[in-house]
Amino acid sequence: MTSTQDLTSTTTAFDLAAYLIDRQPKVEAALDAAIRPAYPDTIYAAMRYSLLAGGKRLRPILCLASCELIGGDPDLAMPMACALEMIHTMSLIHDDLPAMDNDDYRRGKLTNHKVYGEDIAILAGDGLLAYAFEYIATHTHGVSADRVLKAIANLARAVGADGLVGGQVVDLESEGQPDISVETLTYIHNHKTGALLKSCVVCGAILAGATESEIEKLAKFAHNIGLAFQIIDDILDITATQAELGKTAGKDAQAQKATYPKLWGLEESKRQADKLVAEAKTILSEFGDRALPLQALADYITDRKN
Ligand code: GRG
């Protein structure tokens, strides 16, 4: 079962558990406050159902950690962190629809369309997507307008046809095809999963006033952890149970999807994920102790069980 506590099982030199015990409830409370029940009741209930359904909250926590690494007060980045989770959640709602991956469970609960119907689930996703951008623009305080604009532009690009949407399209088109190359698979994952994770890290840094060179290093770090995250996701789809995942296990094989374990085998896939994370951590070493939270989160990505 996925829960906000699941991230805390990771052990590293840095006390990630203590860090998350501090951060996760703050993110939960900020999300709950960001979207309150309102009229029309159904759409707000559907948006809140998926947004507040648990999940590891990895994306907001990456954003806050990146802001802090650059020396920013993490509170400045909280509206952006919430918006990132709104967009992640809307992508899960749409991904679970019958026209996409067609799943009945997510985060240990029935999927949005199973509870509210397909029409409302589509609109709940749309509502979350639009509100995410409104929320950044109206609730980010104490940051110059040019930084906010730069972060919004980065996030919009990560979500559109050159990001999540593009990755999902190539993923759908590749289903059932026997000869998907490593290049196509890597395109899918860098866009479908990696783009948003990269935007989390980059936007946190932008809001804190990072230099271009700092942003470039953080983007490389995030690129590596994004790909490692998806490799581990492919592995867990084979090795973990539905109870551990909070969603149907074995979906990739069932949908005849190309995956890294299918191309490389389980052992080599894990080795590649470990290598990407080790490189990612090295990229941040020049930031010293300020990089410890992000480095510990990178380790978590390969150690996680869901
Ligand atoms: C963004 C406009 C727009 C449309 C969405 C459906 C779609 C287009 C894209 C699919 C994106 C997707 C669902 C990628 C998979 C990402 C992934 C590995 C999700 C699991 O993330 P976790 O493990 O989940 O962090 P929790 O529940 O812990 O947050």
Side-chain angles (χ1 to χ4, degrees), residues 131-143:
Y131 191 59
F133 287 101
E134 179 186 336
Y135 198 67
I136 300 166
T138 56
H139 284 72
T140 308
H141 303 300
V143 181

Side-chain angles (χ1 to χ4, degrees), residues 2-3 53-59 85 87-96 100-101 106-107 126 129 158-160 164-169 171 191-194 197 229-230 233 245 247 300 304 306:
T2 54
S3 82
K56 297 179 287 294
R57 309 311 192 192
L58 179 61
R59 289 153 190 82
E85 189 66 23
I87 292 177
H88 169 55
T89 300
M90 76 72 54
S91 80
L92 300 178
I93 296 173
H94 282 193
D95 192 52
D96 291 334
M100 304 256 184
D101 265 11
R106 174 69 72 176
R107 294 176 163 171
D126 295 344
L129 180 61
V159 168
L164 267 80
V165 169
Q168 180 76 348
V169 168
D171 191 18
H191 290 76
K192 188 179 146 170
T193 304
L197 287 166
F229 186 90
Q230 186 57 55
D233 219 63
L245 292 177
K247 62 177 184 177
Y300 157 75
R304 71 198 172 101
N306 69 50

Side-chain angles (χ1 to χ4, degrees), residues 1-291:
M1 194 73 72
T2 54
S3 82
T4 51
Q5 293 306 309
D6 292 331
L7 271 176
T8 62
S9 59
T10 307
T11 50
T12 63
F14 175 77
D15 193 348
L16 184 63
Y19 183 77
L20 294 167
I21 284 167
D22 175 60
R23 286 296 150 89
Q24 282 173 325
K26 286 183 182 157
V27 169
E28 289 301 324
L31 288 170
D32 186 32
I35 301 184
R36 301 301 304 160
Y39 181 81
D41 302 358
T42 319
I43 191 66
Y44 282 96
M47 286 158 67
R48 281 173 56 83
Y49 173 79
S50 291
L51 187 64
L52 304 177
K56 297 179 287 294
R57 309 311 192 192
L58 179 61
R59 289 153 190 82
I61 288 169
L62 281 171
C63 174
L64 299 175
S66 181
C67 175
E68 232 176 345
L69 181 152
I70 298 300
D73 177 344
D75 286 349
L76 297 178
M78 188 57 97
M80 169 63 72
C82 289
L84 288 157
E85 189 66 23
M86 289 176 205
I87 292 177
H88 169 55
T89 300
M90 76 72 54
S91 80
L92 300 178
I93 296 173
H94 282 193
D95 192 52
D96 291 334
L97 287 166
M100 304 256 184
D101 265 11
N102 191 18
D103 219 315
D104 292 351
Y105 291 95
R106 174 69 72 176
R107 294 176 163 171
K109 295 172 74 173
L110 282 172
T111 43
N112 200 289
H113 66 273
K114 283 278 158 193
V115 177
Y116 294 96
E118 281 181 52
D119 45 5
I120 295 296
I122 292 168
L123 292 166
D126 295 344
L128 284 168
L129 180 61
Y131 191 59
F133 287 101
E134 179 186 336
Y135 198 67
I136 300 166
T138 56
H139 284 72
T140 308
H141 303 300
V143 181
S144 67
D146 61 325
R147 284 187 201 168
V148 178
L149 202 57
K150 190 171 171 182
I152 287 176
N154 182 287
L155 177 57
R157 184 154 188 90
V159 168
D162 197 40
L164 267 80
V165 169
Q168 180 76 348
V169 168
V170 180
D171 191 18
L172 290 172
E173 288 174 350
S174 303
E175 252 178 51
Q177 289 195 27
D179 297 319
I180 299 299
S181 64
V182 176
E183 288 73 27
T184 302
L185 185 60
T186 303
Y187 176 93
I188 293 169
H189 293 329
N190 279 341
H191 290 76
K192 188 179 146 170
T193 304
L196 188 60
L197 287 166
K198 192 193 271 187
S199 193
C200 296
V201 174
V202 168
C203 288
I206 290 173
L207 293 180
T211 63
E212 284 308 317
S213 142
E214 287 169 334
I215 291 173
E216 204 179 306
K217 283 177 196 121
L218 284 162
K220 278 189 189 148
F221 162 85
H223 172 89
N224 274 33
I225 65 162
L227 196 51
F229 186 90
Q230 186 57 55
I231 295 174
I232 297 298
D233 219 63
D234 286 357
I235 293 174
L236 290 174
D237 188 69
I238 298 169
T239 59
T241 62
Q242 175 165 339
E244 285 168 323
L245 292 177
K247 62 177 184 177
T248 315
K251 284 283 292 191
D252 293 340
Q254 199 186 315
Q256 293 181 292
K257 283 202 179 195
T259 63
Y260 287 106
K262 204 165 157 186
L263 288 178
W264 294 334
L266 281 173
E267 214 171 295
E268 177 60 13
S269 299
K270 176 71 166 71
R271 206 184 66 77
Q272 293 285 346
D274 287 341
K275 190 164 161 247
L276 285 163
V277 165
E279 278 171 16
K281 289 169 67 182
T282 305
I283 293 166
L284 296 194
S285 54
E286 71 181 66
F287 292 104
D289 284 358
R290 282 184 295 143

